[in-house]
Amino acid sequence: MLAFSILIALFAAGCHKKPPVAPPPAPAPTAPPAAPAPEKPAVLEFSAEPSSIERGQSAILRWSVSNATDVSIDNGIGTVPANGNRRVIPGDTTTYTLTANGPGGNISATATVTVTAPAPPPPQQTETNKGTFDSRIQSDLQDAYFDYDSSNIRGDARTALTADADALKRIFADFPNGTILIEGNCDERGSAEYNLGLGDRRASAAKDFLVQLGVPADKLKTISYGKERPVCTESNDACWQKNRHDHFSAGQ
Amino acid sequence: MKRKISVIFVCAALLCAAAFRLFAQDIQDWIKGTGAKPALAVVDFRGAGQASAFMSQFNSTLWDDLQNSGLFEMRAKSMYPLNNPQRPEDMRPEDNHQGYALVDWAGSPVNASHLAFGYAAAQNGLFVLYGYLDDVRQANAQSAQLIGQRYAEDLSEAGAVKAAHEFANDIIQKFGGTASLLGSRIYFVSDRTGTNEIWAMDWDGGNQKALTHLRAKPPGSLYPAVSPDGTRVAFTTWAFGTPRIVVVDTQTGRRLPFYNQEASLNATPSFTPDGKQIYYASSASGLAQIYVASLDGQGFRRVSYRDAIEVEPKVNPKNPSLLLFVSGPLNQQIYQMTSTGSDVQRVTNGEGEAANPSWNPDGQHIAFSWTRGYATGNFNVFVMDIGSRQYVQLTSGQGRNENPVWAPDGRHLVFMSNRNGREQIYTMLANGTQVKQLTTQGVNRYPVWGVQ
């Protein structure tokens, strides 16, 4: 904290304390020597300590100015002596500007007190986040559909999963701790046991495809429900197609 | 035009049927049993005193057990003489046409070869049964008697039913019936409590009880297998996330240790005939393949290396190095291989989809489900001779019929069917007759038959 204050002070000095190092003006060769020009005011110090406070705490402004006839600080402090300090309790981050006027000109400098909010309480258990995570999964990710007794990623599934890969990257950016479950499902044809293996293969086929497109593998889990969780229970082609799919849900 | 087509169709169907019959001759003989069956007459037993209250239950149980065995030509009671013998001394050699002579039963119209008779009485607070079996073709009552046995059970309906089972069992064993079904249990999946749990019931559908209470969200717990000694059931459950294998004790329902491999899928377990190992399917390699492990899941080993989904491993009861399983790469079929994964052969002929192989205790025949000849997905129960690959179809035209599993007696099958709406558990004889529905509450699926 102290080092940081010094840094701020040095920064302020570096910006505004130019005159002492400026070379003297070249003497006029012919004119008689005139009275020496009055020196420009200089801000030797203007700092806030500490420079960062939590809301409700105070900081001390310190300043030291030379060659000035009047010195003032804004933000309601007003005219101050050439050297001094003042305790301030800013409600928000405030940059104080010190202005010094003298016969040689005027100069200003600034010092900033950064006000941080007190540490917020920890967020409520992921309930609300999870809801958002779930809703993002529901709204942003599309199912991938399969041919009968196949786990090949066919054309429409390729399109869907390519869009899903982008959506997943955005979702993981917003929910870095989230994991996704890819659920492999089958239609009612074929035996329950075989379909369990087929659903597993469908889920892992989608996972492999997404990983190839840059989705982190460790964020994707797979599960097979075989034909045990149909979304449609009629025995016709349309219904069977609906049931031959990979669906996305939030992992645990 | 329509008529012509249907005529052609009928002709084709007849041709097919004829060819089918010819081809399936041997296996047909096997499922029917060889030689003439004993013609069995069973009198209505009467009960003395308090035993009389339980006789109608006793008589129907005795009749059903004997009929269900498939070993007998049951002689209809309507043909019987007016009087029925109750004790051996009731039998008299002379032909008096009153029912007390052997020839009254051996002759027309009963034409029985054997007669079961006897009576029950309440004795010292017990239901006591005196059961007899005579070969009525013999000359006298002494040489005719094959069984004369006293059975004592609780003086209750359950006691009377148990006595009937025991007497029927003795008769069945007299005729070379293999292991009895008495005491055997059927394990299955039921959703009647809201989640799919593993249930157990007696072989005749009695005494239905939940074995697990995992309350896993759908699909819950499915695909049970029972150990050869009937003490353990292994099954697939989603109770802990991805499908895993759990083993429980059939007496207590308590979980026994089983190590599941790191995999998205560990499923369809089955026990080896010696009860010391469990075969199962695991996707540890990225694709469901057959593995074998100790009873506790330790020391697992991959059996096969094929680029096809493999599930439902079933080891031959007589030859532990022969294994059936269900696999692709095309439409699912039943395959066989050795326990080291060599000599892979397709068992079913490639038509339709085949699943659920179950070994008969003889190690020679299998029951399985197959969509052959029907719309894809419409499974029916078949039996095949594994040596000749000859097969017969046991169910047809009544919904989906799947997951046939042999009873310990090698003569009965339990299976699931949606013939009456939602899936229920049924049993039948291996010749497709005597179909009985055992469950009604909720949806009931995936039965297996254990010796206890």
Side-chain angles (χ1 to χ4, degrees):
Chain A
M1 184 60 88
L2 185 63
F4 185 61
S5 309
I6 292 167
L7 204 68
I8 293 271
L10 282 176
F11 181 72
C15 284
H16 301 290
K17 231 172 94 181
K18 290 268 157 58
V21 294
T30 52
E39 287 220 27
K40 212 179 163 191
V43 178
L44 306 174
E45 181 192 6
F46 185 39
S47 67
E49 171 130 13
S51 62
S52 178
I53 57 171
E54 280 190 9
R55 182 167 295 131
Q57 295 179 323
S58 63
I60 308 277
L61 296 177
R62 290 179 200 285
W63 63 92
S64 174
V65 182
S66 62
N67 305 320
T69 50
D70 65 271
V71 179
S72 66
I73 300 173
D74 64 0
N75 283 306
I77 294 173
T79 305
V80 293
N83 297 292
N85 62 69
R86 177 73 65 95
R87 179 179 296 273
V88 293
I89 308 178
D92 290 299
T93 298
T94 304
T95 298
Y96 296 90
T97 304
L98 175 147
T99 308
N101 295 308
N106 55 60
I107 194 163
S108 65
T110 62
T112 299
V113 178
T114 303
V115 178
T116 57
Q124 290 289 308
Q125 203 43 288
T126 52
E127 205 60 45
T128 50
N129 278 349
K130 177 106 174 172
T132 320
F133 186 53
D134 282 342
S135 67
R136 286 283 295 282
I137 292 166
Q138 218 158 32
S139 62
D140 297 4
L141 298 176
Q142 356 175 0
D143 285 9
Y145 292 90
F146 294 87
D147 285 335
Y148 177 64
D149 197 6
S150 167
S151 56
N152 291 337
I153 305 294
R154 66 187 197 193
D156 61 336
R158 182 173 292 271
T159 309
L161 289 172
T162 304
D164 287 340
D166 290 338
L168 280 167
K169 288 173 197 167
R170 288 194 300 272
I171 290 171
F172 288 137
D174 294 345
F175 301 93
N177 297 323
T179 57
I180 297 276
L181 195 59
I182 308 173
E183 309 170 345
N185 292 279
C186 306
D187 70 31
E188 64 172 345
R189 296 171 296 171
S191 69
E193 297 85 353
Y194 180 83
N195 276 314
L196 197 56
L198 180 59
D200 183 72
R201 201 174 200 188
R202 282 178 177 159
S204 59
K207 177 180 174 177
D208 292 347
F209 188 88
L210 292 168
V211 169
Q212 271 185 353
L213 293 180
V215 180
D218 61 349
K219 297 263 176 210
L220 302 174
K221 311 282 179 211
T222 61
I223 190 169
S224 175
Y225 292 129
K227 62 172 182 176
E228 304 288 349
R229 284 178 61 165
V231 294
C232 180
T233 55
E234 293 157 37
S235 293
N236 57 49
D237 284 329
C239 191
W240 288 331
Q241 177 60 86
K242 282 182 198 160
N243 289 333
R244 292 193 304 270
H245 67 129
D246 280 346
H247 182 68
F248 296 93
S249 68
Q252 275 120 22
Chain B
M1 184 63 185
K2 193 176 176 189
R3 190 188 167 87
K4 202 168 179 183
I5 287 174
S6 64
V7 166
I8 291 168
F9 178 77
V10 166
C11 289
L14 283 172
L15 258 168
C16 279
F20 177 70
R21 194 157 296 154
L22 203 67
F23 183 63
Q25 199 69 57
D26 296 345
I27 182 96
Q28 287 283 10
D29 283 352
W30 180 76
I31 64 164
K32 281 184 183 148
T34 48
K37 290 178 181 178
L40 183 60
V42 183
V43 305
D44 272 334
F45 286 48
R46 284 180 291 177
Q50 284 174 282
S52 63
F54 312 118
M55 295 319 289
S56 99
Q57 197 65 32
F58 172 89
N59 282 314
S60 61
T61 303
L62 179 62
W63 181 271
D64 287 351
D65 279 7
L66 293 168
Q67 172 162 289
N68 290 352
S69 74
L71 289 173
F72 306 104
E73 294 287 350
M74 300 297 283
R75 288 294 182 234
K77 290 186 179 182
S78 57
M79 302 291 183
Y80 296 176
L82 203 59
N83 297 304
N84 297 335
Q86 299 189 78
R87 299 172 300 173
E89 48 266 44
D90 293 341
M91 286 296 188
R92 293 192 294 268
E94 66 272 22
D95 174 10
N96 62 5
H97 303 288
Q98 296 301 302
Y100 294 128
L102 294 170
V103 71
D104 291 349
W105 299 89
S108 193
V110 185
N111 293 320
S113 60
H114 295 82
L115 172 68
F117 65 100
Y119 68 99
Q123 214 171 14
N124 303 326
L126 293 172
F127 180 94
V128 178
L129 163 71
Y130 296 88
Y132 305 96
L133 180 72
D134 276 12
D135 179 344
V136 294
R137 296 164 301 186
Q138 298 296 316
N140 60 67
Q142 282 70 43
S143 60
Q145 187 171 322
L146 298 174
I147 293 175
Q149 185 72 39
R150 178 180 179 273
Y151 305 84
E153 293 297 340
D154 288 350
L155 186 55
S156 65
E157 189 171 295
V161 165
K162 195 167 179 209
H165 284 322
E166 287 169 338
F167 182 39
N169 192 35
D170 284 345
I171 295 172
I172 288 166
Q173 292 201 323
K174 209 74 185 167
F175 290 93
T178 46
S180 158
L181 294 182
L182 189 63
S184 68
R185 304 270 282 163
I186 292 168
Y187 300 90
F188 61 104
V189 173
S190 182
D191 74 348
R192 70 187 71 171
T193 56
T195 54
N196 279 323
E197 303 283 356
I198 309 299
W199 283 62
M201 62 183 166
D202 292 343
W203 65 280
D204 58 358
N207 201 17
Q208 303 192 5
K209 284 194 185 110
L211 188 59
T212 65
H213 305 275
L214 286 166
R215 296 187 185 84
K217 61 182 185 184
S221 301
L222 303 172
Y223 322 132
V226 60
S227 64
D229 64 1
T231 61
R232 292 162 194 245
V233 165
F235 55 96
T236 309
T237 184
W238 280 256
F240 312 102
T242 52
R244 291 163 73 84
I245 293 166
V246 164
V247 181
V248 298
D249 182 305
T250 53
Q251 292 301 306
T252 62
R254 197 176 303 149
R255 267 182 80 181
L256 301 168
F258 187 87
Y259 176 75
N260 279 269
Q261 290 189 63
E262 196 64 43
S264 57
L265 176 78
N266 292 300
T268 68
S270 77
F271 293 86
T272 50
D274 64 5
K276 290 182 176 160
Q277 288 179 304
I278 288 180
Y279 276 85
Y280 62 99
S282 174
S283 66
S285 70
L287 166 70
Q289 297 275 287
I290 305 299
Y291 288 75
V292 60
S294 304
L295 215 46
D296 59 2
Q298 300 288 349
F300 56 83
R301 164 176 74 79
R302 185 172 172 182
V303 175
S304 59
Y305 292 82
R306 298 174 63 244
D307 184 21
I309 294 160
E310 298 177 344
V311 291
E312 290 200 272
K314 303 283 176 67
V315 176
N316 184 295
K318 302 282 190 199
N319 175 7
S321 67
L322 177 61
L323 192 63
L324 294 179
F325 61 103
V326 173
S327 184
L330 300 173
N331 47 333
Q332 62 176 95
Q333 297 285 306
I334 295 170
Y335 286 76
Q336 68 176 47
M337 63 182 169
T338 68
S339 53
T340 55
S342 61
D343 296 334
V344 176
Q345 287 177 37
R346 200 181 61 212
V347 171
T348 42
N349 67 8
E351 285 180 68
E353 294 157 308
N356 313 137
S358 168
W359 285 105
N360 186 285
D362 67 9
Q364 185 61 35
H365 297 89
I366 62 167
F368 62 106
S369 45
W370 201 6
T371 63
R372 178 192 164 279
Y374 290 86
T376 321
N378 217 354
F379 281 103
N380 273 298
V381 174
F382 287 72
V383 170
M384 176 184 276
D385 180 314
I386 199 73
S388 67
R389 303 283 204 258
Q390 291 180 357
Y391 53 80
V392 285
Q393 182 168 352
L394 302 187
T395 62
S396 80
Q398 287 189 289
R400 284 176 76 129
N401 299 277
E402 296 169 83
N403 295 83
V405 173
W406 290 101
D409 70 358
R411 296 192 307 274
H412 285 81
L413 288 162
V414 66
F415 63 104
M416 73 179 197
S417 175
N418 65 358
R419 60 184 60 191
N420 292 324
R422 306 172 79 186
E423 283 97 348
Q424 298 296 347
I425 309 296
Y426 296 78
T427 55
M428 64 179 170
L429 270 176
N431 61 11
T433 65
Q434 295 189 26
V435 178
K436 287 191 162 42
Q437 183 173 344
L438 302 188
T439 56
T440 52
Q441 265 189 290
V443 176
N444 299 282
R445 299 183 289 168
Y446 310 120
V448 289
W449 208 320
V451 296
Q452 63 165 317

